[in-house]
Amino acid sequence: MAERYTTVGVGLMGLGTVGTGVYKLLSRHDWLNVCRIAVRHPNQKREIVDLDTNLLTTDPFEVVRDENVRLVVEVMGGLEPAKDLVLEALRLGKHVVTANKALIATHGELLFQTARDNNACILFEGAVAGGIPIIQPLKLSLAANRVQEIAGILNGTTNYILTRMSQDGWEYDQALAEAQARGFAEADPTNDVDGFDTAYKISILSSIAFQTRVDPAQLSVEGIRSISAKDITLARELGYGIKLIGLARAAQNGAIDARVHPMLVPLDHPLASIHHEYNAVWIQGDAVGDVMFSGKGAGEMPTASAVVADILAIGNDLHTDNPTPVPGMRVQFNGQALLQPVSDTQNRYYIRLNTRDVPGVIGDLGHCCGAAGVSLESVMQKGITLDANGQIKTAAIILITQMVYEHQLQDALNRIRQLETTGSVGCVLRVLG
Amino acid sequence: MAERYTTVGVGLMGLGTVGTGVYKLLSRHDWLNVCRIAVRHPNQKREIVDLDTNLLTTDPFEVVRDENVRLVVEVMGGLEPAKDLVLEALRLGKHVVTANKALIATHGELLFQTARDNNACILFEGAVAGGIPIIQPLKLSLAANRVQEIAGILNGTTNYILTRMSQDGWEYDQALAEAQARGFAEADPTNDVDGFDTAYKISILSSIAFQTRVDPAQLSVEGIRSISAKDITLARELGYGIKLIGLARAAQNGAIDARVHPMLVPLDHPLASIHHEYNAVWIQGDAVGDVMFSGKGAGEMPTASAVVADILAIGNDLHTDNPTPVPGMRVQFNGQALLQPVSDTQNRYYIRLNTRDVPGVIGDLGHCCGAAGVSLESVMQKGITLDANGQIKTAAIILITQMVYEHQLQDALNRIRQLETTGSVGCVLRVLG
């Protein structure tokens, strides 16, 4: 081997859960030298035994500007000051590794451009699905494909809640409380349960898959708060599980159909067997067919595994006497994605109706759907009882539609709501596949 | 962007199923110029419409030596002349992409060394699990981990056969005939059903994961010919599926426990839900925990997807005015793997016994196992009948052991075979996990 090896100076911004894991894994490689660490509380007791406290600073810009630092690792989270720090590092020609999904989803285009302009790399495998390799495989291993669809279970908190609701028959509130007690959910669970975390991640994945910027702020996002144990039970009887899905599809005319919402997932779909805090990304490419990547989506060591893989990928290159940024690791967007309006998206739908009365209701529903151009795949009556006169009454009717446009579905729902026989529309969910 | 872009000359050796898929996918990239193609039958009718027949040659060395070819793609298969061709290409400093599992498993060490000596790359994503990204993720995305275990369903033919046996209650011969009729199995199925194909693939995966050469010829390899519908049914009742598994574990003292055999897979294990011709690789790393990669393992376009990803990874670099081989893509072995002898491996076992007589047999079995140091996890009696005297007779007893050494198990089996109450040992299989 002709190469000479040099030590690579690494600056670490953040020494919380993930940062501590990164530090531990980096200690396996003596040619990677952590030479500056930014922390919020320098006197805090830490679980790293041999930490040299002289490396610590409360000013992260000191890490970025340290002349020994050639590679900056950002694991502090949040948009500011992370954005300014990463930009400054890239402008100084330093390579950056980050696990910050909000940062990449929101400012990725600017960061990637700044990296290119300064012949630097920015990698972010840890930003999506923790330790599961997905960013590099999408950029490199699936590069020969035109991606047709990505469907991901990208948030461990909501998947844990939905799993407990499904397996234990719990309602949402009980499952959320259990997730909080086990440390899977935060005291304020909004970011997870309302789908914002998933929105960041599907926006990053679809941006890479379709090589165009998908703005997370423009996605249609629905969370899982309104999912009931009743719908989970009914869905299972019909052969489906309910999962919070980040979805991105190549639509007509170059548009991208990207959104986040709970979906009925057929029980024989690979995503249906992803339970508890596990994450998975299912990808359909025009050459490879369907592939799936699954594993634990978060936690100290899984996320650190992804961050350190990125550090090694850059570091292995810097480490020789002929360092060059790796072009295959670059991301370049062809402008802003044209997002398909939700009303123009196509889906199959699950509709649970609370009906007052049976005679005629099926026929009425059929008319409403027919008038809106919505074909039905199945109609199921549940909880049938007889009233005092011996007339059949039913508590719920479940419709599954064929593939229809959202605007057709809304038209049908409006017509159904006006029926005298319909009590209320209890739940509407989209169906995967 | 400062880079200048140049056309990269690609030489293709082989234009069969995979080669045709590669040609089609390459046509999407006008900077990749297929300038020479070696075929066996130049006058054969092909499904590529715009193929320039002037590019064809029957001498693959012409492809390797063509001065316009900077990247050689070997999709002809077989050990010779593929080995000599790839070696010659690397010695000429040309980069190589191959999907040849036998070549990489058998001669990988020599090829990787030759590549390093000549500052060239050799990539082989298509050699394992077709289009499923697994080689690059193992080399790059999981590089921060110490791999503890790899368990793979790496052969679509055998997985299809076992799936049909399980889902349709078929015996092996019927399922094999169906696989042959559908084109999933060859007329001579030896390579697949006896586990040799899986052995090549697990040897490649374990060589990369453990950075040491694992010789496929030294692996213990068992196929699926002796699996019966009866054992699949019994296993399912106990909560297991039966899969052909390529297994590699980090064992004591730096040894590697690598082997191929059918295994009982717990139904809640991710590998248990991989059916039909699908492949999957489950990896346990010390940082990431467990991750799984799954998808279709073979076929024209899935394998071509992997081959072209490798071509793009190298080509993207050659394409600029500052070409450099990508160090992260290199493979280097620390010598030859120390393989753990099968008798020293640890497993849980499923044992089906045909017993003549019931009274006392359970006690006898317990003594045999106890004398050999084999603890039992469960004992199940199946097919209990009464004889003419009203005595209980049983057709089968199924034992599941706790984790024991193979030599202990063999000791117990020898003792059991000598029991008067035991008719015969019907089936012994290892249990995953």
Side-chain angles (χ1 to χ4, degrees), chain A residues 124-326:
Chain A
F124 46 93
E125 185 64 71
V128 180
I132 306 169
I134 183 62
I135 305 287
Q136 289 292 46
L138 198 51
K139 281 197 284 184
L140 292 175
S141 313
L142 298 175
N145 287 265
R146 290 184 186 130
V147 173
Q148 296 160 324
E149 180 169 334
I150 302 176
I153 295 172
L154 298 167
N155 179 274
T157 304
T158 46
N159 204 43
Y160 179 82
I161 291 171
L162 291 173
T163 300
R164 294 308 297 262
M165 289 176 72
S166 171
Q167 295 184 352
D168 300 284
W170 291 355
E171 285 297 347
Y172 168 79
D173 289 336
Q174 187 180 0
L176 171 62
E178 174 75 10
Q180 287 169 324
R182 287 178 172 243
F184 291 145
E186 295 176 45
D188 175 2
T190 303
N191 200 31
D192 294 318
V193 302
D194 290 331
F196 302 123
D197 177 78
T198 299
Y200 284 138
K201 292 165 176 171
I202 193 66
S203 121
I204 294 173
L205 291 179
S206 53
S207 292
I208 293 171
F210 301 114
Q211 291 169 47
T212 174
R213 186 181 179 232
V214 175
D215 182 355
Q218 290 185 22
L219 298 190
S220 160
V221 179
E222 269 172 52
I224 64 163
R225 287 186 204 257
S226 65
I227 301 293
S228 66
K230 177 194 288 182
D231 288 305
I232 288 179
T233 303
L234 288 170
R236 179 161 295 268
E237 288 179 25
L238 290 163
Y240 299 92
I242 296 183
K243 298 287 183 187
L244 181 64
I245 300 290
L247 189 73
R249 289 178 176 148
Q252 293 96 332
N253 307 320
I256 294 170
D257 170 14
R259 42 199 160 105
V260 175
H261 45 58
M263 293 188 96
L264 269 69
V265 177
L267 289 175
D268 61 0
H269 191 288
L271 286 171
S273 58
I274 304 302
H275 297 308
H276 296 287
E277 74 273 31
Y278 277 67
N279 283 18
V281 182
W282 182 90
I283 300 177
Q284 172 101 33
D286 71 339
V288 77
D290 62 306
V291 289
M292 193 171 87
F293 306 73
S294 59
K296 277 188 189 145
E300 174 188 358
M301 296 315 284
T303 306
S305 164
V307 171
V308 175
D310 282 346
I311 296 171
L312 291 170
I314 296 174
N316 270 322
D317 186 31
L318 293 179
H319 183 43
T320 65
D321 61 357
N322 183 23
T324 51
V326 182

Side-chain angles (χ1 to χ4, degrees), chain A residues 1 3 28 116 131 133 140-141 144-146 278 286-288 290-295 301-302 305 308-309 324 330, chain B residues 1 3 28 116 131 133 140-141 144-146 278 286-288 290-295 301-302 305 308-309 324 330:
Chain A
M1 307 259 324
E3 292 115 355
R28 295 178 177 177
R116 278 199 305 281
L140 292 175
S141 313
N145 287 265
R146 290 184 186 130
Y278 277 67
D286 71 339
V288 77
D290 62 306
V291 289
M292 193 171 87
F293 306 73
S294 59
M301 296 315 284
S305 164
V308 175
T324 51
R330 297 246 183 98
Chain B
M1 309 264 317
E3 291 117 355
R28 293 179 179 178
R116 279 198 306 280
L140 292 175
S141 312
N145 286 265
R146 288 180 186 134
Y278 277 68
D286 70 340
V288 76
D290 61 307
V291 289
M292 192 171 87
F293 305 74
S294 59
M301 296 315 286
S305 163
V308 175
T324 51
R330 297 251 181 95

